[in-house]
Amino acid sequence: MSSVGVVGTGTMATGIVEVFAKAGHDVLLRGRTTEKAQAAVGAVQKSLDRAVKKGRLSEADRDTILARVTPTAALEDFSTVDLVVEAVAEDLEVKRSVFTTLDEVCKPGAILATTTSSLPVVECAAATKRPGDVVGLHFFNPAPVMKLVEIVHTVSTDADVIATAQKLCLDLKKVPVHCGDRAGFIVNALLFPYLNDAVSMLEAHYASADDIDTAMRLGCRLPMGPFQLLDVVGLDVSLAIEKTLYNEFRDAGLAPAPLLEHLVTAGRLGRKTGKGFRDYS
Ligand SMILES: NC(=O)c1ccc[n+]([C@@H]2O[C@H](COP(=O)([O-])OP(=O)(O)OC[C@H]3O[C@@H](n4cnc5c(N)ncnc54)[C@H](O)[C@@H]3O)[C@@H](O)[C@H]2O)c1
């Protein structure tokens, strides 16, 4: 599998582009406009520049990796790629429309993957006439650093597509795990009820965000407390995941904490907007 297309210009898309380019793949990065696509390549460059500064990457290697990435505004350019990873906003209608177009433009046998955190992968598959080729490749944030990839098979995914996805993840030096197509997959189904409980605890003035973060870091030896993690993941993405868990399992305890909804409404989405539970400006 040599050429890859990534749809999206956000946190996950740019991280995933970096992962594939580092592993030697040619990557087409598609944004809704040429400017967005170019800015996303700029974000990949920034990340590589940081690695150079830290002495983890030579300048020559950075230039080689960057040369593999081509920005585009046209999904039609994906007609020759072997794999597409869709990483646009966590919105089913947006994703379905991307998959319908991919189905029209991609060559037969291309694997069409989504990195959705919480939406049913089968919905993306059903937006195409090739549901057997659609699979979930759930990368974690930041994609260049995090080793885990959840490979999500729907009721329609072909076995050879799952096998190719497994081999691909190993080639990318990731650690794949497999699961079915259920809200939250493995990690988020266990993680987000906990994060939501932390927001409810803060909302009830039971403890401060700093104390809750410190307690979970030191008490459970976690690298980050819940509010640090929510701000990294993005509060809009987190809210979408919690809503999906709630809608699928209908458990009242899974209803998103109102404070999370209010912060999202106020545009405080975490680190990516400079403000979330904390102020990074
Ligand atoms: N943030 C995480 O920790 C994380 C982890 C794993 C997977 N994901 C998943 O990755 C995907 C992207 O998340 P992200 O964190 O990169 O979000 P983000 O907000 O950083 O980026 C979203 C991208 O979608 C694009 N977009 C928005 N509306 C669009 C539309 N109507 N048509 C086409 N593109 C549109 C935006 O321009 C942007 O490029 C989501 O499905 C999310 O669930 C996120």
Side-chain angles (χ1 to χ4, degrees):
M1 181 167 299
S2 59
S3 67
V4 174
V6 174
V7 194
T9 54
T11 316
M12 290 312 290
T14 52
I16 291 167
V17 166
E18 183 178 330
V19 168
F20 278 102
K22 272 183 178 160
H25 299 273
D26 290 325
V27 190
L28 271 172
L29 188 172
R30 189 269 186 178
R32 278 175 290 173
T33 62
T34 311
E35 293 72 27
K36 279 190 184 199
Q38 280 165 346
V41 176
V44 176
Q45 173 158 12
K46 244 189 181 170
S47 169
L48 295 173
D49 285 345
R50 277 198 298 274
V52 170
K53 250 191 202 147
K54 287 180 185 160
R56 291 187 192 143
L57 189 71
S58 72
E59 288 191 6
D61 283 347
R62 173 200 57 197
D63 296 344
T64 309
I65 293 165
L66 263 182
R68 294 186 186 126
V69 183
T70 309
T72 177
L75 270 185
E76 289 68 29
D77 289 352
F78 283 20
S79 59
T80 57
V81 300
D82 304 304
L83 165 77
V84 179
V85 182
E86 168 279 312
V88 302
E90 189 74 340
D91 178 314
L92 196 49
E93 280 324 301
V94 173
K95 288 190 191 290
R96 283 181 62 90
S97 132
V98 168
F99 272 83
T100 300
T101 309
L102 289 174
D103 188 28
E104 285 159 12
V105 303
C106 290
K107 66 184 182 189
I111 294 180
L112 308 182
T114 173
T115 195
T116 179
S117 297
S118 62
L119 299 169
V121 178
V122 74
E123 290 277 2
C124 298
T128 74
K129 294 187 198 73
R130 46 173 112 182
D133 293 335
V134 178
V135 68
L137 283 182
H138 186 221
F139 286 83
F140 286 74
N141 185 18
V145 177
M146 299 293 279
K147 287 274 176 216
L148 186 68
V149 179
E150 290 172 324
I151 299 178
V152 183
H153 55 270
T154 74
V155 288
S156 311
T157 313
D158 287 340
D160 60 333
V161 168
I162 299 168
T164 306
Q166 161 88 9
K167 186 179 171 309
L168 172 75
C169 289
L170 295 175
D171 288 347
L172 295 173
K173 307 264 183 297
K174 298 293 183 194
V175 178
V177 293
H178 295 262
C179 63
D181 187 19
R182 206 179 76 166
F185 312 135
I186 299 172
V187 172
N188 288 344
L190 295 173
L191 176 63
F192 276 85
Y194 147 73
L195 293 176
N196 197 39
D197 283 349
V199 181
S200 297
M201 193 182 263
L202 177 69
E203 203 166 27
H205 304 290
Y206 181 76
S208 69
D210 285 350
D211 281 355
I212 295 170
D213 273 350
T214 303
M216 292 312 292
R217 274 193 297 109
L218 301 186
C220 296
R221 293 193 70 169
L222 297 177
M224 280 186 222
F227 299 105
Q228 287 174 293
L229 185 57
L230 282 161
D231 278 351
V232 169
V233 170
L235 303 196
D236 51 341
V237 173
S238 301
L239 180 61
I241 295 170
E242 291 182 5
K243 281 184 175 166
T244 307
L245 286 172
Y246 176 62
N247 287 337
E248 184 151 326
F249 300 114
R250 296 286 164 182
D251 175 340
L254 295 173
L259 175 59
L260 186 64
E261 304 225 26
H262 289 195
L263 289 172
V264 172
T265 306
R268 287 172 56 173
L269 307 185
R271 282 186 178 268
K272 63 185 170 188
T273 57
K275 250 187 189 179
F277 283 97
R278 294 201 172 81
D279 191 342
Y280 304 92
S281 51

